[in-house]
Structure formats: structure tokens, C-alpha cells
Amino acid sequence: DYESLEDGLADERDVVAVIPGSEFGVEAAERLAEHFGVRGNPVATTACRRHKFAMKRAIAAADLDHAKGTLVRSSEEAVAFVRANLAYPVIAKPPDSAGALNVFKCRDEGELKAALGRILSTPDGYGKVPREAIVEEYIPGDEYVVNLFGDADKLAVTSVWRYEWVATPYCHHCYWNEFMLDPADPDLVDLCAYAKRLYHAVGIRWGSAHAEIKRSPRGPVVMEIGARIMGGAYETFADEGMCLDMPLENVKVFA
């Protein structure tokens, strides 16, 4: 409830920055930054950084490759869309959750119907039951993370990671290892350049971004990009390897 939260903080006079600590905080941080009149990414384009379909549209408008898909409100709509536009396997997921909750790789119509039934009947990462789901093409290839940091003058890649995942009886996409790579590696030039264009495409102006990208046979294809620091202990390792304290740098650029 943003209004009650803002009312409770309206008398604060020493707020100099509002910075999201995770994907769940991106929208709230941007709204609060606007409320307090401090530096932040624009609320007018928040949906491009949180709602996965709005994100697709912004990325498409920037003429960047992405997983083709649509919003659906039922399993029947999903099945009809795939029959007309895609081939199995496909991905089904909530439009604005986080943490890969209720994201499914569906190999046939039966699995797609089951996935839509679960997505549209169970709470997402915010505790809300979605009214819509995204169905999109499955992108093959190795998965990478490209982390970025920008301010009014410069945008830089701060770290690159390659995910290694395995299939188990309980999960088709279980993250197993993450390998930190050298952003200066010539083999990563295309990924880094693509990620920088993503940063601008979704309206990020300040601070960190976390882009998850597949290196597919047709080139880099984004899964999603978040206006935040990478989660977990990864930035600690990045600080050790790159001598860059990302939480501190975010405080500096937002304040």
C-alpha cells in the first residue's frame, strides 16, 4: 500500500536516496524516490523494468532480439497462441513475479495447460494470484548474467557470469554453478554491447542493472533485465575480483 507507506514517511527530512535491495523492491524504490524528490529511475517507465510483457515491448521498440510471446488469461488462449505462432517447448510464467517462481518449460499442450492452471491459481512472489500469464518461445543456448552500472556520464559492465544448470526429477532447470568471467574477454563483446542497449531500452538511468541473457544460435537474446544489484553473494565476489564495491557505488550515484 504505497499511499499509507508514503503518508507514514512524509515528515522525514533526511531522505537522500531510495535504492532497491532486490527485485521485489524496484517498483517501491522508484515510487518513493519520486515522492521524496530524490534521484531515481522514472516512475513513468517502471513497468518496463518490472512487468515482463511491458519489458518485451520496450525491448522490441529498441529493435533488440527477445523471446517472442504474448499475454494470456486461460490455458485455452495459451494453447491457441502456441498452435498459431510457436513450437514446443515453450515457457510459461507470471508477468511480474520474481525469483523464477512458477516459471515452467512446457514440452507439449498437456504441460502447458498444467502450467497455466498453476500460474493462474497460486500466489506469485508478491502474494498475488496473477490474472494473466506470459507464454513465450523457449530460447536454447548457454545462459549468462551481465551486470552493469551507470550514471549520467557513463555505462559500464561490472561483471559477467555464466550459469550452469542441470535437470533433476524435481526441476527441469536447477542452477548448479555460476562462473565469473572476464568482461574484457573478446568472446563476450556481443553480450556486453547487447546488455548496454537493454539498459537504455527499459529506461534505466542510474545505478545497477542485472541482465539475464541467452547466447542462442541467432545471437544474444534477453530473458529479462532488472534495475538492481545482482542478488546473493555475487557482488561480494565481484568486489574481490574487480575491486568494485557495488552497494557503495549505488549509494554514491543515487545520493
Side-chain angles (χ1 to χ4, degrees), residues 103-156:
V103 177
F104 299 95
K105 180 182 178 183
C106 307
R107 293 164 289 191
D108 54 42
E109 287 189 2
E111 291 188 352
L112 180 58
K113 290 178 180 178
L116 265 291
R118 182 175 178 86
I119 293 169
L120 298 175
S121 64
T122 59
D124 62 17
Y126 291 89
K128 302 179 298 181
V129 177
R131 293 182 296 177
E132 299 173 311
I134 290 178
V135 177
E136 65 185 21
E137 62 177 324
Y138 171 74
I139 303 297
D142 289 336
E143 187 173 351
Y144 294 80
V145 164
V146 180
N147 292 312
L148 307 111
F149 183 80
D151 58 24
D153 302 314
K154 185 177 179 181
L155 175 61

Side-chain angles (χ1 to χ4, degrees), residues 78-108:
V79 167
F81 175 79
V82 174
R83 285 179 180 175
N85 298 281
L86 302 177
Y88 290 96
V90 297
I91 298 295
K93 61 186 181 183
D96 58 359
S97 186
L101 181 64
N102 281 350
V103 177
F104 299 95
K105 180 182 178 183
C106 307
R107 293 164 289 191
D108 54 42

Side-chain angles (χ1 to χ4, degrees), residues 111-219:
E111 291 188 352
L112 180 58
K113 290 178 180 178
L116 265 291
R118 182 175 178 86
I119 293 169
L120 298 175
S121 64
T122 59
D124 62 17
Y126 291 89
K128 302 179 298 181
V129 177
R131 293 182 296 177
E132 299 173 311
I134 290 178
V135 177
E136 65 185 21
E137 62 177 324
Y138 171 74
I139 303 297
D142 289 336
E143 187 173 351
Y144 294 80
V145 164
V146 180
N147 292 312
L148 307 111
F149 183 80
D151 58 24
D153 302 314
K154 185 177 179 181
L155 175 61
V157 172
T158 57
S159 64
V160 179
W161 300 78
R162 179 173 63 82
Y163 284 149
E164 180 181 75
W165 54 271
V166 296
T168 75
Y170 313 101
C171 176
H172 76 269
H173 197 98
C174 178
Y175 290 100
W176 183 250
N177 277 316
E178 296 84 26
F179 299 94
M180 189 177 177
L181 308 178
D182 181 359
D185 186 336
D187 190 46
L188 301 176
V189 168
D190 60 336
L191 285 175
C192 294
Y194 175 84
K196 287 183 176 182
R197 292 184 65 192
L198 288 172
Y199 187 98
H200 296 299
V202 298
I204 304 174
R205 294 180 182 172
W206 306 99
S208 290
H210 171 71
E212 297 178 342
I213 301 169
K214 286 280 193 77
R215 174 168 272 169
S216 76
R218 68 193 199 210

Side-chain angles (χ1 to χ4, degrees), residues 161 180 233-242:
W161 300 78
M180 189 177 177
Y234 298 99
E235 291 299 349
T236 301
F237 297 127
D239 184 16
E240 293 175 0
M242 306 295 291

